Amino acid sequence: MKTRLTAVIMLVGFFLLSASVQAQVFDYRLVPPELAADFQKGVKLLEQGQANEGFSQFEQALTLAWRYQIQELPAYSSELIRLGTRLTLSDENRRRLLDLSLYFSPHSSEMALARARFFFSAGHFSFSSSLAELKRGINLLGYDLPARVRLQARLWRASAEFLMVWLIILSVLIILRYFRVLLHWSGHLLPESYRNLNLPLLLFIGLIPVYIGGALWPILVWPGILCLPFARKSLRIIFLVLLLVSGLAGLCREKTRQMIFPLTTGPVLSQYHVSLGLAGQPDLENLRKAAESSNSPGVLLSLAEAEHRVGDDKRSEELLILAIGEPAASTLAYNQLFCLYLVTGRPEQAISALEKAAQGKEQYAEVYFNLSQAYNNASKYDQSDSVYKKASQLSDETASRLVLAKKLLGQTQFLLKIPVPAGLILSESEGKIAPASALLEGKYQFLFFIIALCLMLVAGRGQKTRVCYYCGSIICPSCLPESRSPGICNPCYQVFIAGKSVDPKLRIEQKGKVRNYHRLTGILGVVLSLVVPGTGLILEEKVLAGLLLSVFPVGFLGYFLAGSYVPAPLLPVTVVFPAWMIIGLGIYALLSLVSVLLYLILARVEA
Ligand SMILES: [Zn+2]
Ligand SMILES: [Zn+2]
């Protein structure tokens, strides 16, 4: 009964998951079943402590992957890294496991980052290894299409969230500090006998976005705009600028949508499948159709590979010769052409293609390794050695992969392919957003900006109603006059600044007021500083210091929020980027503490 229940729950969970993750790019339909079986057997053996048997199963799986010319299997790499975390293994075996994870997906940025994190965790800590993998991960972002797209899309979305979160936070702070002042000021506008209506009337106006069913941001920002004329000049300017700039948030969101979409369908997805070495018939048809209308280097290279796989080497050659004409693709095309010439028995042409590839601007270890093997076949041993040395300098990981591949496959040569960089695959899919539609996306923010500007001209100019910095009383031309010092009420000025011959009764009274006021705002300020560093200072009108301190925390919040809008890990087993957010969380906590300390120092009032 219990197992059946678990099965039902898992099944429901699986369906929910697969419904939410629309962009399920990775598709292992094409992975030969015996490869998967070998790998699974290896996992089981390793779990049972039979390390050597387990590793030989993994090597069998790897051999099959290479024989089928599968380039990348990130899910397998991820499983190996997880095994390394879960099981207690000898140092040597753990090393072997991680090396295998590299061979199963040599160009996956996300897997390199996962290994970097592995070396960063307690029990496996090695700073140099972690740093090396981190470097590899960042370098490989150019090849790892889903990782790159997801990171970029998330950064775009995070910029949108950053702007909106900052706008909302500033608005809430303005409301917290100045709503009282607005209430006092508007009270004077009403005739004496209607004064009771003041608060309901203000609430009615302030809640307008709620009645018309506005989103969260207008509900929180609109009352902020109403209170803005009473804020300090620097805060007014910053809020207005932010309001204007936040109109671009819509553009950033649109950008995210545009980036994610091609990953879910069409030629981009097919090119990606080809780069994994897992392209099926639908991918071939997709690419053939795309090549009819465009000469995108990514499409040409991918289609050439796919045509070669289905046996049409002539068409493949035509496409590669076309691709050579595209500067961004020529080195890759030459390398691919080399592989084609070699398997079709044209070694002379193969060598000349590779020599051209080696002259390219970009240096690929794969090209030099291939050239070294080609020279070796042609009995040009000296040339072979010198090129091999150069190749090993470029990437010793590729050298050991090559050695293992030759050994496992029992061959004297192993052709190394270079995946098509993500930039080439995406070059034609990134749509342009017309300026007009970009502006339309932010129409409500711009409307709010214009209203706020008008309000500032009507009510903000020469506004004398404000909060006394010392006692928190409302300074108002008809109730409590401002002293010579701006922002300080007359009694406070007499007691705390002019000093000396002051009525002792007034002194005690003002001191009591100041103490009560700051006890209240102090608690609020500390809590705010803890939750979002910097906000406590903004509340106390230390605007610049507060803003500087809040840049990272608000950015972090933005990045965090953006995660829910960017389709979750395209590969369900890997959640690498969020894991790195722990470091961000640490910085956030540190800034919280700094912010509280700064608040206590800067916002203190000598009384
Ligand atoms: Zn005062
Ligand atoms: Zn008044």
Side-chain angles (χ1 to χ4, degrees):
M1 181 64 201
K2 216 172 169 186
T3 47
R4 209 175 292 169
L5 197 69
T6 321
V8 168
I9 290 172
M10 276 174 70
L11 211 65
V12 170
F14 175 75
F15 275 117
L16 286 177
L17 208 70
S18 53
S20 65
V21 184
Q22 271 184 340
Q24 195 73 30
V25 168
F26 285 80
D27 185 340
Y28 289 117
R29 280 170 310 174
L30 298 168
V31 176
E34 58 270 38
L35 193 163
D38 280 342
F39 188 85
Q40 287 307 330
K41 226 182 276 169
V43 172
K44 257 195 208 114
L45 285 168
L46 211 67
E47 279 169 343
Q48 290 161 3
Q50 293 167 269
N52 284 331
E53 292 80 356
F55 278 113
S56 75
Q57 286 295 331
F58 290 143
E59 285 183 349
Q60 266 186 49
L62 199 56
T63 314
L64 275 177
W66 282 335
R67 191 156 289 149
Y68 284 101
Q69 295 186 40
I70 294 170
Q71 306 292 323
E72 311 277 328
L73 288 169
Y76 288 44
S77 295
S78 165
E79 180 65 30
L80 292 173
I81 297 169
R82 286 202 305 178
L83 276 178
T85 318
R86 224 172 58 214
L87 305 179
T88 21
L89 297 169
S90 69
D91 283 350
E92 197 212 323
N93 282 341
R94 195 174 302 124
R95 187 74 257 175
R96 269 176 89 182
L97 209 58
L98 292 178
D99 281 348
L100 278 174
S101 87
L102 180 57
Y103 300 149
F104 269 108
S105 55
H107 296 96
S108 163
S109 163
E110 238 184 323
M111 287 309 113
L113 292 177
R115 280 190 297 274
R117 194 166 76 89
F118 175 86
F119 286 122
F120 207 71
S121 59
H124 319 291
F125 189 80
S126 158
F127 188 72
S128 58
S129 305
S130 184
L131 203 66
E133 290 293 347
L134 196 64
K135 234 172 91 187
R136 191 205 303 276
I138 291 167
N139 287 337
L140 284 177
L141 268 178
Y143 291 96
D144 192 332
L145 183 75
R148 183 187 130 139
V149 167
R150 214 165 72 227
L151 188 66
Q152 274 184 335
R154 189 156 177 178
L155 287 177
W156 276 107
R157 182 75 204 203
S159 331
E161 299 306 313
F162 174 75
L163 290 172
M164 296 318 288
V165 169
W166 223 358
L167 190 67
I168 287 174
I169 286 177
L170 267 192
S171 176
V172 169
L173 292 175
I174 289 170
I175 297 167
L176 278 176
R177 189 166 175 95
Y178 302 106
F179 183 75
R180 235 160 29 99
V181 191
L182 170 69
L183 192 67
H184 183 106
W185 178 80
S186 64
H188 283 302
L189 298 180
L190 292 172
E192 192 80 54
S193 46
Y194 290 100
R195 198 121 326 151
N196 299 345
L197 287 178
N198 187 21
L199 183 62
L201 214 60
L202 261 192
L203 285 179
F204 176 77
I205 297 173
L207 293 175
I208 287 175
V210 178
Y211 317 133
I212 57 175
L216 181 71
W217 78 264
I219 290 175
L220 291 173
V221 170
W222 171 245
I225 291 175
L226 296 179
C227 300
L228 195 60
F230 308 96
R232 269 182 79 140
K233 203 169 170 188
S234 55
L235 196 54
R236 287 187 205 177
I237 294 171
I238 286 165
F239 190 76
L240 279 175
V241 170
L242 198 59
L243 202 52
L244 188 64
V245 176
S246 70
L248 300 177
L251 176 74
C252 298
R253 288 197 194 114
E254 183 55 32
K255 199 84 186 152
T256 305
R257 275 193 290 273
Q258 281 196 0
M259 299 190 96
I260 290 297
F261 180 68
L263 269 193
T264 60
T265 169
V268 168
L269 184 60
S270 296
Q271 287 177 66
Y272 178 60
H273 285 159
V274 172
S275 77
L276 293 176
L278 293 170
Q281 191 61 29
D283 295 314
L284 183 65
E285 275 151 26
N286 257 339
L287 289 171
R288 277 180 181 159
K289 221 163 99 195
E292 279 168 19
S293 58
S294 105
N295 255 4
S296 144
V299 171
L300 291 179
L301 290 170
S302 304
L303 182 58
E305 177 67 22
E307 294 285 12
H308 164 60
R309 286 205 162 211
V310 292
D312 193 347
D313 289 334
K314 205 165 150 276
R315 174 76 179 132
S316 182
E317 191 181 337
E318 272 170 31
L319 288 161
L320 288 173
I321 287 168
L322 257 180
I324 285 169
E326 306 281 337
S330 69
T331 309
L332 301 169
Y334 275 126
N335 189 58
Q336 216 168 312
L337 207 53
F338 156 80
C339 299
L340 188 69
Y341 285 147
L342 214 62
V343 293
T344 51
R346 288 178 276 176
E348 288 304 315
Q349 274 169 292
I351 289 186
S352 102
L354 260 195
E355 280 171 343
K356 283 188 189 122
Q359 286 159 12
K361 212 165 51 193
E362 283 139 303
Q363 304 263 298
Y364 293 98
E366 287 89 342
V367 169
Y368 292 102
F369 279 120
N370 285 341
L371 192 56
S372 157
Q373 297 184 83
Y375 282 144
N376 198 42
N377 287 350
S379 310
K380 299 178 180 172
Y381 300 115
D382 284 351
Q383 275 160 295
S384 171
D385 279 353
S386 80
V387 174
Y388 190 89
K389 248 179 228 146
K390 183 167 177 155
S392 312
Q393 277 165 8
L394 284 173
S395 165
D396 54 350
E397 167 268 311
T398 313
S400 40
R401 181 153 55 98
L402 185 63
V403 170
L404 184 67
K406 285 198 231 171
K407 191 186 116 194
L408 291 182
L409 292 167
Q411 294 170 356
T412 50
Q413 67 173 18
F414 179 71
L415 303 182
L416 291 165
K417 298 202 168 155
I418 308 169
V420 181
L424 280 186
I425 294 184
L426 289 169
S427 60
E428 293 219 337
S429 74
E430 279 172 14
K432 304 269 178 294
I433 302 170
S437 73
L439 290 182
L440 262 180
E441 287 283 340
K443 54 184 180 288
Y444 294 113
Q445 280 95 330
F446 296 135
L447 183 69
F448 269 30
F449 170 76
I450 290 166
I451 294 175
L453 203 63
C454 294
L455 208 67
M456 217 55 61
L457 292 177
V458 175
R461 281 239 298 256
Q463 181 54 253
K464 288 274 182 233
T465 317
R466 61 189 76 187
V467 185
C468 170
Y469 180 69
Y470 278 85
C471 67
S473 304
I474 290 165
I475 300 168
C476 161
S478 28
C479 309
L480 179 67
E482 189 171 32
S483 69
R484 250 178 295 168
S485 181
I488 295 173
C489 73
N490 221 355
C492 283
Y493 184 80
Q494 282 177 29
V495 172
F496 301 113
I497 294 173
K500 290 192 183 137
S501 56
V502 181
D503 177 5
K505 224 178 98 191
L506 179 70
R507 182 186 291 272
I508 294 167
E509 197 181 310
Q510 282 310 109
K511 280 197 171 180
K513 264 191 189 173
V514 171
R515 206 175 299 123
N516 285 337
Y517 173 60
H518 283 277
R519 201 170 285 156
L520 201 75
T521 55
I523 294 169
L524 186 63
V526 169
V527 171
L528 281 172
S529 302
L530 269 179
V531 178
V532 185
T535 47
L537 287 171
I538 299 176
L539 190 74
E540 292 291 335
E541 299 191 332
K542 312 275 181 212
V543 181
L544 221 65
L547 281 181
L548 281 178
L549 214 63
S550 66
V551 170
F552 177 83
V554 176
F556 182 79
L557 285 176
Y559 187 77
F560 178 75
L561 287 174
S564 54
Y565 299 103
V566 174
L570 302 166
L571 187 62
V573 282
T574 63
V575 193
V576 175
F577 288 120
W580 279 102
M581 284 179 80
I582 288 175
I583 293 177
L585 215 60
I587 300 175
Y588 196 110
L590 197 72
L591 282 174
S592 284
L593 286 179
V594 171
S595 171
V596 170
L597 280 177
L598 265 181
Y599 176 81
L600 291 177
I601 294 166
L602 289 179
R604 205 172 63 157
V605 170
E606 312 270 343

